[in-house]
Amino acid sequence: MRLLPMMYIAIMIIFLVVPLIYLFISSMDPASLADIILSIKIPPSGALYTIYDYGDYRLIYIEGLDFGPLINSLILSAVVSLATLIMALYSVVASLSMSRSRWFLSYLVPLLASIPMPFISAYAVIHLVHRDYGLINTFLGFLGSSYRISIDGVAGVALYQLIHFYPLTHLLLLSYAETINRDLVDASSNLGGRSLNTIYRILIPLMRPAILAAWSLVFILSLEDLVGPIAFSRHNYARNLLSYQAYIGFISEYGYLVSPRIASYVLIMLAIAILLLALFYRYISGSRFGIISPRRIYIEIPGVGGHILRISASSLLIASLAPNFMVLIYSITEGWFSNPYPRGFVIDNYASLLTTPYYYRAIINTILYTAISSTLIMVIGYIASYISMRGSGGSSFLVEALSMTPLVVPGVAVGIAYYQLFHSVLRGSWADPVYIPWIYLLATYTIRRLPYMVRPVEASLQRIPRSFEEASYNLGSSPSRTMWGISFPMSLGSISTGYVIASIQVATEVSTSLILIGSVSVSASHPSPITPLIASLIIYDPQLVHRASALLIFTLVSVIIVSIAITRIISHSLKIPREAS
């Protein structure tokens, strides 16, 4: 039992810290770093928006400004994280005033909207705001409006990230809010406090740890996002972001060692992420978000204002589901992406998955990688959670800190660091990541998605009475047997949920998959999961978004089914026979 903390710390250092350190030692160049930091455009290029007159209508074209990669990324992350936080707080307050529809509108809808649909959901956002065939412009034309709107460039990336991160932020804040002692809220109401006073003086101050944790998390996710910049990369401003510059520079040099300029992009992103972790560590570590709390806080907001609040917040939550819903429609239609209406409903998109070796090989790869990585995440994540919640001293603190670190380290940094280390050390051998990338994919998936298991399990362990474990010790059980025989079965509900969530995140991992796979070979034996394949399909021809959607949905459903089956097998194997009771 005493060796567990050291083993976990060793795993995290070897598979996360060492590759990053090696990358910077082997490729760092102060001149390249200074050049990136100082490449600031003042005044910036472009215009925030431009109005074009086409006779029949006026087009409001929003593209954003170009200040250079560093400032663009910082402004984008700051704007997206702040706007997302404001929207989420608004919908959380509205959710707490709901009674009957809270589970559906406040939990189920954002949960479905937060399911990652890499690349295709970004193309759905393009479909919504495109100048010629955008659904919003089609609706404006139907209404007879003389204006159209088009959002592109870095503004388009911001819109995609706002829609993408809003449901997740809402769920994080709501799940934390429902763990607050409801007696405090009830006391405010019983003492005659108005709803606004209860919200601003009781609820929001108590939610401050979750607010700061969610803001810093969205800031980092926005900074490292590759999907938005790649989807909008036809516009130069969308390319001028740190994550895209690191990725496209790496891909252009794939097969060689990482250049100092690419390492500088990675170092800047990593430095920003670590700085945020250091600044907000107390709040992030103290915000153990449960899955769904059985306790319900209710804040009565009467009158017309309350109805407007609930209707508008419900509309926001439902609207956030639009890209994922469009992905589902893409999968059963054809010719819709470049037209206001689909040409027809078909099943050929799904049929092609089973008749094209190139596609079903990617599906099988994804399912296998996900099952192996998620099982490793379950075991390692539970060990980390148990040490963090039941241990003491410096090792427990270090384990908790290392468990949160993968959440803030950009995936681009992890992927490039793995490639640089193992390609340098094992170049030309059978274990070179150029020839056998799947080994390193499994390692990066396991390390990167650990927090999705650790945080829910920590919240579950926090609710288990210590008296159960003490009784086990008193009856002569060893610490190891108590850990796996008492606490593990009692945490199985959160572990199972974490397993499914981690599986979805692994199956839709973008950054490390794109970097370690490089270019996808057109063969029936390629090692690629689905995300690089989807990227290559729709970048080559956006009309293939329909087939890519079918590929993604089929794989996700398969992954969820396999994950549930594995957790059921684990649950069944842990049942205590009646004879032993």
Side-chain angles (χ1 to χ4, degrees), residues 11-26 266 270 413-422 440 443-444 447:
I11 288 172
M12 297 302 291
I13 290 176
I14 293 171
F15 290 100
L16 181 62
V17 178
V18 170
L20 292 170
I21 292 175
Y22 182 84
L23 171 65
F24 301 132
I25 291 176
S26 61
V266 171
L270 187 61
V414 175
I416 293 177
Y418 263 65
Y419 175 86
Q420 177 73 343
L421 172 60
F422 294 105
Y440 307 100
T444 57
I447 296 298

Side-chain angles (χ1 to χ4, degrees), residues 441 444-445 506 508-518 529 531-532:
L441 285 175
T444 57
Y445 291 164
V506 168
T508 56
E509 166 67 18
V510 172
S511 301
T512 56
S513 296
L514 289 180
I515 287 168
L516 291 173
I517 288 297
T531 46

Side-chain angles (χ1 to χ4, degrees), residues 78-192:
V79 170
V80 169
S81 58
L82 182 59
T84 301
L85 185 63
I86 293 172
M87 291 170 57
L89 279 172
Y90 184 82
S91 58
V92 164
V93 171
S95 299
L96 296 177
S97 69
M98 297 177 185
S99 54
R100 298 178 180 177
S101 57
R102 184 185 300 189
W103 182 84
F104 176 76
L105 289 174
S106 302
Y107 280 112
L108 183 60
V109 169
L111 184 64
L112 294 174
S114 63
I115 296 176
M117 298 286 181
F119 297 107
I120 308 174
S121 60
Y123 273 75
V125 173
I126 294 174
H127 194 177
L128 286 170
V129 296
H130 196 274
R131 183 192 69 180
D132 299 321
Y133 51 81
L135 300 183
I136 292 177
N137 287 331
T138 301
F139 182 69
L140 291 174
F142 175 78
L143 295 178
S145 174
S146 59
Y147 284 91
R148 303 290 186 272
I149 186 171
S150 179
I151 304 177
D152 208 346
V154 70
V157 177
L159 177 63
Y160 159 72
Q161 291 184 353
L162 186 65
I163 297 173
H164 182 62
F165 298 135
Y166 162 60
L168 174 64
T169 310
H170 167 88
L171 287 172
L172 291 176
L173 294 182
L174 182 59
S175 63
Y176 185 90
E178 298 235 57
T179 63
I180 294 173
N181 188 346
R182 62 179 299 169
D183 293 338
L184 298 174
V185 177
D186 294 340
S188 175
S189 301
N190 294 335
L191 292 172

